[in-house]
Amino acid sequence: QQQVKQSPQSLIVQKGGISIINCAYENTAFDYFPWYQQFPGKGPALLIAIRPDVSEKKEGRFTISFNKSAKQFSLHIMDSQPGDSATYFCAASAQGSNYKLTFGKGTLLTVNP
Amino acid sequence: DVKVTQSSRYLVKRTGEKVFLECVQDMDHENMFWYRQDPGLGLRLIYFSYDVKMKEKGDIPEGYSVSREKKERFSLILESASTNQTSMYLCAGLSAGTEAFFGQGTRLTVV
């Protein structure tokens, strides 16, 4: 049972374009939704996170949109840059499960110059 | 700076060997996790620990065990390594309500 479904599997965007990655979850107990960024040879690192009491969170060029009723959340990268080329993972966790993170399968983003 | 350190970046082991992957964190995290990462499958949780000597199975615990004798150290044990355990292994530390910090990963090859 895949609790967090992520799409697309891969994404190619031109420099300056908008990258959009989508995730859907099933467990209504989830109360924390982070996005992680991973470069080759490195461990994932937190990019941005949201809790379900807000519908949007923005940090620089990165925005999370959250739709609680649809059980969906998405990452938008504005003005995408070649340095943004990486694998992106959405995740979800619940306080009642000792904050165990459940990850999507990842999206490989390539930003062409 | 926050550090989650995995003892080896690359390991090559033989089928049937007992393998120990070590992870140490310096942030006083209560929770520690072991994931394996495979292409197209994302990060899958093997085991996690929410306190010293406390552990809980994740989604794919078969063939693995863990040990957490001290708060800062969380070890993953492959009881009898098999070729299907060739993978990237990632350790993470987390404190309640905060972000998870990952180590650099250990790429294990079982031959």
Side-chain angles (χ1 to χ4, degrees):
Chain A
Q1 180 189 6
Q2 186 184 353
Q3 292 200 51
V4 179
K5 294 184 179 180
Q6 182 172 347
S7 63
Q9 194 170 8
S10 63
L11 181 61
I12 300 174
V13 174
Q14 292 299 119
K15 179 181 176 181
I18 302 173
S19 304
I20 301 174
I21 305 171
N22 300 298
C23 283
Y25 63 96
E26 298 168 5
N27 186 350
T28 55
F30 287 147
D31 56 12
Y32 178 66
F33 302 89
W35 285 89
Y36 280 80
Q37 181 187 53
Q38 185 181 31
F39 293 105
K42 302 287 188 181
L46 180 68
L47 183 64
I48 187 172
I50 197 168
R51 296 193 183 273
D53 52 343
V54 297
S55 60
E56 186 175 283
K57 183 174 181 180
K58 183 176 181 180
E59 290 183 1
R61 295 183 294 108
F62 301 91
T63 299
I64 299 178
S65 296
F66 184 80
N67 186 330
K68 188 174 182 178
S69 60
K71 293 188 286 186
Q72 295 175 346
F73 58 111
S74 60
L75 176 69
H76 297 236
I77 306 174
M78 312 299 288
D79 186 27
S80 299
Q81 299 297 312
D84 296 331
S85 297
T87 300
Y88 293 81
F89 294 96
C90 63
S93 68
Q95 182 176 355
S97 299
N98 286 301
Y99 304 98
K100 177 179 65 173
L101 280 167
T102 299
F103 285 86
K105 292 188 175 182
T107 296
L108 177 62
L109 172 65
T110 302
V111 182
N112 288 328
Chain B
D1 199 11
V2 175
K3 277 270 180 1
V4 175
T5 304
Q6 295 181 230
S7 55
S8 304
R9 291 295 305 275
Y10 301 95
L11 275 178
V12 180
K13 296 292 182 180
R14 295 194 178 279
T15 300
E17 274 194 80
K18 190 169 186 176
V19 181
F20 293 85
L21 303 184
E22 306 288 344
C23 176
V24 177
Q25 53 100 355
D26 65 358
M27 274 296 290
D28 205 32
H29 293 303
E30 293 90 10
N31 295 12
M32 296 187 75
F33 306 83
W34 275 106
Y35 290 88
R36 66 177 278 178
Q37 182 177 11
D38 301 287
L41 297 179
L43 280 72
R44 293 180 292 166
L45 182 63
I46 304 171
Y47 266 97
F48 71 103
S49 168
Y50 50 90
D51 201 349
V52 174
K53 299 194 177 183
M54 305 301 289
K55 60 187 179 184
E56 192 168 317
K57 292 180 180 179
D59 300 318
I60 51 166
E62 297 79 17
Y64 303 95
S65 63
V66 290
S67 173
R68 193 169 182 199
E69 295 296 319
K70 294 183 179 180
K71 191 173 186 179
E72 66 270 19
R73 186 179 296 271
F74 191 37
S75 304
L76 179 69
I77 304 159
L78 285 66
E79 299 291 342
S80 177
S82 64
T83 54
N84 63 13
Q85 293 179 309
T86 291
S87 185
M88 170 69 82
Y89 290 87
L90 289 161
C91 174
L94 176 149
S95 295
T98 66
E99 69 178 278
F101 291 91
F102 282 84
Q104 295 262 56
T106 297
R107 185 165 294 281
L108 172 68
T109 302
V110 182
V111 298

